């Protein structure tokens, strides 16, 4: 086969194959097969050395012309394929924007967070400032400055997790009282929401991790009437105007006198039901007049200043508010339960 025939054959073959090609990968392979470094046309150019000097220029021209020609055909098919591929892609990726959406899942706040927010709202509305203290606390603040010295029997009820002899997970938010009293001068009017820890077994009413809200007011002439009035307004704002408070004598080392505060049962409004065990009252918080000994230990002159304090369990408030009877439900993270309790 002479070179003319060879050239014709290459061109014919290319034409035949181009007709069958559907995708750009195969087209590129074909381009290499003919025009690539080892391609059939390139081989032909190389073999021109065999020709005589007279034949060479004409043959060279022919081959170059064929090269341009074939290259143009390949380019044309490439354009066609690209166009087709683009269309296919657009077809595959077509979105029907008129389809109904699958419905975004809307999250909600955890009931404990909601209650902390609600209680904070009520108390800041009454003039309290929100402060925070560390969860890893010194024995000094958690117990000593709260008038609970080492070996005091009330430490039994607040066993906790110790890092060493002096450092522990706080058992209540009361140490924040001491942190504020030792660093600020009266008047003081603060609340402190936060997580607290105790070495308790988990059951329907206990958890080793729970939440409290501490309140503290120190000023001149603060009396038990201020404590009663404050908690009375607090209860009414939180649960409704028909709610009343009842103070029962109690004991806390850091307050003197101390009182346990009951509210009208929020479930039956005082008639007596299962929640209040028929009494019409439910116990919700501890409170009292700040023990002068605590004031003195914290560097506040007890002959000039007095104050009151209170501590409320947030789980208790959440359970009463949402009619939850088992505290564990608050921690299990079951969305079927949590999503029923939206902010009201
Ligand atoms: N710290 C107490 C507890 O965890 C609660 C408490 C009672 C706080 C009386 C107070 C208070 O500030 O005055 O059981």
């Amino acid at each position: 086969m002479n070179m003319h025939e060879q050239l014709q054959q290459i061109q014919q073959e290319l034409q035949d194959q181009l007709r069958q090609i559907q995708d750009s990968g195969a087209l590129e392979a074909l381009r290499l097969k003919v025009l690539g470094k080892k391609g059939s046309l390139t081989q032909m150019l190389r073999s021109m050395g065999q020709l005589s000097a007279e034949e060479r220029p004409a043959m060279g021209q022919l081959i170059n012309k064929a090269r341009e020609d074939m290259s143009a055909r390949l380019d044309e098919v490439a354009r066609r394929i690209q166009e087709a591929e683009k269309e296919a892609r657009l077809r595959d990726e077509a979105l029907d924007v008129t389809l109904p959406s699958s419905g975004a899942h809307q999250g909600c706040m955890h009931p404990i967070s909601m209650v902390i927010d609600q209680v904070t709202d009520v108390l800041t509305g009454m003039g309290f400032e929100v402060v925070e203290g560390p969860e890893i606390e010194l024995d000094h603040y958690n117990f000593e400055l709260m008038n609970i010295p080492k070996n005091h029997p009330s430490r039994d009820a607040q066993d906790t997790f110790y890092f060493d002899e002096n450092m522990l997970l706080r058992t209540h938010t009361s140490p924040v009282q001491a942190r504020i009293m030792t660093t600020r001068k009266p008047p003081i009017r603060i609340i402190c929401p936060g997580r607290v820890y105790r070495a308790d077994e988990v059951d329907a009413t206990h958890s080793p991790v729970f939440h409290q809200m501490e309140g503290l007011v120190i000023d001149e002439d603060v009396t038990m009437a201020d404590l009663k009035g404050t908690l009375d307004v607090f209860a009414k704002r939180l649960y409704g105007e028909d709610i009343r408070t009842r103070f029962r004598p109690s004991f806390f080392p850091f307050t003197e006198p101390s009182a346990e505060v009951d509210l009208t049962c929020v479930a039956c409004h005082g008639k007596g039901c299962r929640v209040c065990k028929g009494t019409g009252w439910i116990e919700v918080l501890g409170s009292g007049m700040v023990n002068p000994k605590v004031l003195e230990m914290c560097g506040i002159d007890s002959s000039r200043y007095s104050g009151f304090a209170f501590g409320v369990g947030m789980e208790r408030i959440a359970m009463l508010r949402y009619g939850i009877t088992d505290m564990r439900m608050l921690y299990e993270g079951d969305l079927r339960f949590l999503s029923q309790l939206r902010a009201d």
Side-chain angles (χ1 to χ4, degrees):
M1 202 191 302
N2 68 25
M3 284 183 92
H4 281 282
E5 289 166 348
Q6 223 180 316
L7 191 58
Q8 256 176 5
Q9 192 185 352
I10 292 173
Q11 279 181 299
Q12 189 59 50
E13 269 177 21
L14 180 75
Q15 204 138 336
D16 292 345
Q17 287 177 11
L18 273 181
R19 239 177 261 128
Q20 294 159 28
I21 273 184
Q22 306 284 355
D23 67 281
S24 45
L27 182 70
E28 211 35 49
L30 181 60
R31 186 192 291 275
L32 283 175
K33 205 171 131 204
V34 183
L35 302 179
K37 262 196 201 143
K38 292 186 181 147
S40 46
L41 199 71
T42 319
Q43 301 282 357
M44 264 193 85
L45 270 170
R46 292 224 178 97
S47 60
M48 291 237 308
Q50 297 162 6
L51 298 175
S52 65
E54 299 84 67
E55 286 173 312
R56 230 175 277 156
M59 196 62 214
Q61 260 184 3
L62 262 181
I63 295 177
N64 275 335
K65 165 104 187 32
R67 189 187 176 81
E68 274 168 31
D69 190 50
M70 285 192 261
S71 193
R73 275 168 207 254
L74 282 161
D75 287 350
E76 198 203 301
V77 175
R79 261 195 306 279
R80 213 187 58 222
I81 289 176
Q82 264 174 18
E83 203 54 41
E85 284 179 346
K86 189 168 126 195
E87 263 179 32
R89 212 172 41 243
L90 285 176
R91 220 173 23 250
D92 287 351
E93 293 173 3
L95 288 180
D96 182 350
V97 292
T98 64
L99 278 178
S101 91
S102 56
H105 178 75
Q106 196 184 2
C108 58
M109 266 169 79
H110 191 275
I112 298 285
S113 305
M114 291 196 287
V115 163
I116 290 176
D117 272 10
Q118 290 156 3
V119 171
T120 303
D121 225 39
V122 170
L123 291 167
T124 51
M126 294 168 70
F128 285 87
E129 172 200 352
V130 180
V131 298
E132 282 185 306
E135 290 173 27
I136 296 173
E137 185 55 285
L138 295 171
D139 185 285
H140 181 63
Y141 291 110
N142 195 82
F143 291 129
E144 295 288 338
L145 289 183
M146 286 291 103
N147 196 29
I148 311 172
K150 293 218 161 42
N151 305 318
H152 191 285
S154 83
R155 284 203 183 204
D156 275 357
Q158 299 198 7
D159 190 16
T160 181
F161 306 89
Y162 285 83
F163 296 92
D164 58 35
E165 229 184 294
N166 299 316
M167 206 182 281
L168 44 81
L169 289 178
R170 67 180 178 190
T171 58
H172 49 178
T173 43
S174 301
V176 185
Q177 288 190 32
R179 284 184 172 270
I180 294 295
M181 285 191 279
T182 50
T183 52
R184 290 195 194 176
K185 292 202 177 336
I188 291 169
R189 208 180 292 134
I190 55 113
I191 50 170
C192 166
R195 208 167 280 154
V196 300
Y197 302 82
R198 291 192 196 171
D200 279 338
E201 296 281 342
V202 175
D203 65 24
T205 52
H206 291 88
S207 161
V209 186
F210 59 105
H211 302 75
Q212 289 187 335
M213 178 81 73
E214 193 80 13
L216 174 71
V217 171
I218 311 277
D219 206 343
E220 290 177 2
D221 304 322
V222 177
T223 70
M224 190 109 184
D226 297 308
L227 170 64
K228 286 194 79 173
T230 302
L231 292 181
D232 209 57
V233 172
F234 167 69
K236 286 183 166 53
R237 295 261 165 90
L238 198 62
Y239 288 115
E241 284 303 313
D242 64 331
I243 300 294
R244 288 186 301 126
T245 48
R246 180 173 79 171
F247 285 63
R248 282 180 292 109
S250 184
F251 173 79
F252 300 105
F254 36 92
T255 44
E256 184 59 37
S258 305
E260 208 82 62
V261 181
D262 301 338
L263 305 186
T264 316
C265 177
V266 293
C268 64
H269 292 259
K271 287 201 257 319
C273 68
R274 227 163 22 115
V275 175
C276 59
K277 301 197 180 78
T279 64
W281 295 98
I282 38 166
E283 182 188 318
V284 290
L285 55 87
S287 68
M289 300 308 292
V290 179
N291 192 326
K293 217 170 146 191
V294 170
L295 291 176
E296 292 297 335
M297 278 193 285
C298 292
I300 291 177
D301 181 358
S302 65
S303 64
R304 181 169 171 201
Y305 294 107
S306 56
F308 66 79
F310 56 89
V312 199
M314 292 294 100
E315 277 75 0
R316 179 111 177 99
I317 301 285
M319 288 168 79
L320 289 171
R321 190 166 194 99
Y322 299 113
I324 301 163
T325 49
D326 191 326
M327 196 160 164
R328 283 167 289 204
M329 302 199 77
L330 289 170
Y331 306 115
E332 281 166 354
D334 187 335
L335 287 179
R336 289 168 304 180
F337 162 72
L338 292 175
S339 58
Q340 293 174 43
L341 311 173
R342 297 196 175 263
D344 36 63

